[in-house]
């Protein structure tokens, strides 16, 4: 079912607190309702959400042509730490320990490193996982080291041509930036991830870029996100040439292998596609090629899973599976060994590493699909609870004015993006300052383009 413009954020089953003991139930029911909870579905079965974004600032030091932030974002105050701690507690209460929290924005490195360290420590204290989502410009090795010591699990670098970095004319040129970022993060004990927006300006380079990622030993996770008509960016509708199928095929060309994107489901199939490979420089093989075996393994894991908090404990479950289904476990181990040896001895010996390849299909803000929103695995923490990221992006300005209430030792306090600190009254402005008050250099996206067309420039101010 398609829905067009919503005046208010859609409530989603996955965004409501589940009163029972199984935190997977809301997502499971959302997926069931749209016929997506089949035998290969992992969401709602092994975890209650894939990740939750914690937006620690709305400010950014870039101006991406496909930015998902809103017109008023840049004029919004950063949430104080107590507000962010309260949102972390909310994430924990909805989804339980083990949930992956994305420290994001805007660019989170515009916050002080002290704040980011405090957030990493709190995330670790709650038993959650943390991922710093950054364009990398300010993410120095020293900062990454401090965050790793504070408990950071992952760093995800967003690098692509939508960012219009000075001096770069194509994705191939940006590989120097990517290599630099890998060098900054390697050896710190954090997993290295990369995000790439696939858009009309780089689609022709997608296979080459996929090949670059395949050949990086240090990269554990590669996410491709398809152009979506949402947010404040100046580029809007996705070109017809970019579809889930065309992107998957281009990635497979780059990896030089079929990647079996249709074998394991992570949420709604129109939202997410997942592949898992063993790779080494010059060669990769899918770990999901034995489809029937993968399906049997998913069913067997579901049968032995004893996690009480809604997140699969993979080591414990594999141990149980080996005891209960030794023949199946042996077949799976031999299948893995077969792929491992073929990759390892391709050409000459090299140690294979596992890499996840992910395709994410955000929706246009005026064309939200209610079923997909209700079965969203990528939520964002808001004052009103977790919300689908697509819904949030479509109504971001409304959320920036929504009020957080937090309990302090002095009693309740309130905050929204219109004020800089905690307030002792809930009577807060219901809109964030309009960015027309901002200097040209702080305008972003469409507003900046409008100002430029109107003849405004840095020199005017
Ligand atoms: S954020 Fe949007 S595209 Fe992504 S899983 Fe949620 S509903 Fe689907």
């Amino acid at each position: 079912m398609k829905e067009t413009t919503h005046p208010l954020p859609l409530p989603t089953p996955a965004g409501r607190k589940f009163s029972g003991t199984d935190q997977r139930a809301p997502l499971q029911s959302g997926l069931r309702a749209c016929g997506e909870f089949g035998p290969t579905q992992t969401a709602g079965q092994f975890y209650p959400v894939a990740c939750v974004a914690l937006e620690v600032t709305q400010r950014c030091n870039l101006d991406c042509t496909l930015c998902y932030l809103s017109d008023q974002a840049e004029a919004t105050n950063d949430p104080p730490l107590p507000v962010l701690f309260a949102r972390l507690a909310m994430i924990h209460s909805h989804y339980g320990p083990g949930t992956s929290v994305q420290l994001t924005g805007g660019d989170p490195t515009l916050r002080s490193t002290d704040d980011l360290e405090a957030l990493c420590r709190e995330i670790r204290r709650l038993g959650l996982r943390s991922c710093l989502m950054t364009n990398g410009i300010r993410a120095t090795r020293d900062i990454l080291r401090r965050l790793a010591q504070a408990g950071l699990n992952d760093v995800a670098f967003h690098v692509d041509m939508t960012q219009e970095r000075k001096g770069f004319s194509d994705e191939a040129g940006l590989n120097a930036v990517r290599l630099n970022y890998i060098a900054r993060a390697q050896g710190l004990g954090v997993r290295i991830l990369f995000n790439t927006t696939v858009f009309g300006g780089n689609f022709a380079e997608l296979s080459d870029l996929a090949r670059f990622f395949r050949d990086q030993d240090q990269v554990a996770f590669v996410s491709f996100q398809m152009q979506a008509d949402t947010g404040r960016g100046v580029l809007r509708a996705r070109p017809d040439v970019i579809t889930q199928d065309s992107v998957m095929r281009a990635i497979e060309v780059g990896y030089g292998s079929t990647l079996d994107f249709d074998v394991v489901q992570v949420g709604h199939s129109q939202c997410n596609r997942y592949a898992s490979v063993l790779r080494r420089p010059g060669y990769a093989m899918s770990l999901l090629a034995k489809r029937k075996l993968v399906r049997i393994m998913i069913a067997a894991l579901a049968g032995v899973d004893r996690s009480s908090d809604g997140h699969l404990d993979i080591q414990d479950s594999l141990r149980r599976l080996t005891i209960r289904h030794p023949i199946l476990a042996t077949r799976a181990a031999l299948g893995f060994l077969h792929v491992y040896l073929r990759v390892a001895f391709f050409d000459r010996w090299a140690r294979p590493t596992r890499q996840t390849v992910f395709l994410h299909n955000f929706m246009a803000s005026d064309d939200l699909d209610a079923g997909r929103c209700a079965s969203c695995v990528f939520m964002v923490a808001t004052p009103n609870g977790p919300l689908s990221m697509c819904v949030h992006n479509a109504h971001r300005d409304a959320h920036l004015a929504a009020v957080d209430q937090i309990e302090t030792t002095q009693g309740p306090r309130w905050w929204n993006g219109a004020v800089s600190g905690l307030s002792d009254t809930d009577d807060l402005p219901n809109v964030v300052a309009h960015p027309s008050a901002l200097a040209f250099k702080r305008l972003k996206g469409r507003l900046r383009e409008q100002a430029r067309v109107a003849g405004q420039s840095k020199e005017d101010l």
Side-chain angles (χ1 to χ4, degrees):
M1 183 177 87
K2 292 271 183 192
E3 287 197 25
T4 48
T5 314
H6 299 285
L8 286 171
L10 288 168
T12 67
R16 281 194 218 112
K17 186 172 166 60
F18 180 61
S19 56
T21 53
D22 192 339
Q23 290 158 315
R24 295 168 282 202
L27 177 56
Q28 197 177 112
S29 85
L31 287 164
R32 268 189 210 287
C34 37
E36 293 275 333
F37 198 74
T40 58
Q41 182 59 262
T42 58
Q45 173 148 249
F46 298 134
Y47 46 91
V49 71
C51 58
V52 185
L54 182 73
E55 296 185 337
V56 304
T57 182
Q58 297 289 315
R59 296 174 292 129
C60 193
N61 47 353
L62 285 176
D63 188 13
C64 297
T65 53
L66 279 165
C67 181
Y68 57 82
L69 295 182
S70 61
D71 290 337
Q72 285 170 249
E74 199 70 18
T76 306
N77 291 289
D78 292 347
L81 277 184
V83 169
L84 294 172
F85 282 9
R87 290 189 189 177
L88 285 174
M90 179 267 290
I91 293 170
H92 182 267
S93 98
H94 273 81
Y95 301 117
T99 301
S100 177
V101 176
Q102 296 187 342
L103 294 169
T104 184
D107 201 275
T109 60
L110 297 191
R111 292 287 295 240
S112 74
T113 307
D114 287 349
D115 283 357
L116 295 176
E117 283 179 308
L119 289 165
C120 287
R121 278 195 289 268
E122 179 66 1
I123 289 169
R124 184 170 58 179
R125 189 187 72 79
L126 290 169
L128 306 167
R129 288 183 54 82
S130 55
C131 178
L132 182 77
M133 312 288 289
T134 176
N135 58 41
I137 291 171
R138 289 168 56 106
T140 62
R141 185 163 177 86
D142 184 50
I143 288 176
L144 293 175
R145 181 186 291 112
R146 284 177 60 184
L147 298 185
Q149 286 167 354
L152 183 71
N153 296 106
D154 303 333
V155 58
F157 295 111
H158 177 203
V159 181
D160 61 51
M161 287 301 293
T162 65
Q163 298 168 324
E164 302 192 318
R165 296 177 189 238
K166 287 196 175 67
F168 297 95
S169 58
D170 56 21
E171 294 291 346
L174 285 170
N175 286 342
V177 176
R178 297 182 177 102
L179 289 171
N180 178 292
Y181 289 177
I182 291 169
R184 280 190 212 170
Q186 78 180 78
L188 296 179
V190 294
R191 288 197 318 158
I192 300 174
L193 290 58
F194 273 89
N195 290 326
T196 305
T197 306
V198 178
F199 74 118
N202 67 3
F203 181 67
E205 289 189 85
L206 186 53
S207 295
D208 289 341
L209 182 57
R211 190 172 301 113
F212 167 83
F213 286 129
R214 177 200 67 185
D215 290 345
Q216 305 310 314
D217 288 325
Q218 306 293 328
V219 176
F221 192 107
V222 183
S223 176
F224 296 96
Q225 300 171 358
M226 295 159 65
Q227 175 170 356
D229 188 353
T230 192
R232 68 186 178 192
V234 294
L235 296 183
R236 307 303 309 179
R238 180 184 299 167
D240 291 342
V241 69
I242 298 177
T243 64
Q244 279 182 305
D245 277 344
S246 68
V247 173
M248 288 188 285
R249 298 298 83 81
I251 294 169
E252 287 179 332
V253 168
Y255 274 78
S257 170
T258 303
L259 294 187
D260 302 304
F261 280 108
D262 56 343
V263 174
V264 172
Q265 273 187 275
V266 176
H268 200 295
S269 56
Q270 288 179 41
C271 294
N272 309 300
R273 293 303 180 105
Y274 166 91
S276 178
V277 302
L278 276 183
R279 44 66 53 210
R280 56 171 288 177
Y283 193 61
M285 273 184 75
S286 168
L287 282 169
L288 308 176
K290 292 191 180 301
R291 295 161 177 251
K292 198 169 159 200
L293 181 60
V294 172
R295 282 179 191 201
I296 294 170
M297 282 291 288
I298 290 174
L301 280 172
V304 299
D305 177 24
R306 291 285 175 276
S307 54
S308 56
D309 57 18
H311 290 264
L312 179 73
D313 180 339
I314 187 70
Q315 282 177 357
D316 181 60
S317 294
L318 284 175
R319 191 176 52 77
R320 288 171 186 277
L321 186 138
T322 305
I323 294 167
R324 293 251 305 261
H325 307 285
I327 296 175
L328 176 61
T330 304
R331 277 181 63 198
L334 288 175
F336 179 85
L337 187 64
H338 172 76
V339 176
Y340 188 94
L341 293 176
R342 276 195 56 184
V343 175
F345 287 103
F346 170 79
D347 190 12
R348 58 194 160 77
W349 161 261
R351 190 176 69 84
T353 56
R354 200 173 79 78
Q355 205 175 62
T356 297
V357 185
F358 207 81
L359 176 57
H360 200 101
N361 181 18
F362 285 115
M363 288 181 265
S365 58
D366 64 352
D367 194 20
L368 298 179
D369 180 296
R372 290 172 62 186
C373 294
S375 50
C376 180
V377 296
F378 180 17
M379 308 295 273
V380 56
T382 77
N384 300 315
L387 197 66
S388 159
M389 183 54 100
C390 277
V391 177
H392 189 246
N393 287 340
H395 306 283
R396 182 174 289 267
D397 278 339
H399 294 294
L400 298 182
V403 176
D404 283 270
Q405 177 180 331
I406 62 162
E407 301 306 319
T408 73
T409 49
Q410 290 86 40
R413 293 289 184 271
W414 293 268
W415 179 85
N416 75 358
V419 295
S420 59
L422 295 180
S423 167
D424 53 12
T425 168
D426 63 353
D427 187 18
L428 301 176
N430 64 6
V431 285
V432 174
H434 194 272
S436 57
L438 295 177
F440 179 82
K441 67 180 178 182
R442 286 191 59 204
L443 287 178
K444 303 279 183 178
R446 292 175 299 191
L447 289 178
R448 186 181 176 94
E449 185 62 13
Q450 285 163 17
R452 193 189 61 75
V453 169
Q456 207 177 1
S457 72
K458 269 185 202 173
E459 291 70 37
D460 296 331
L461 296 151

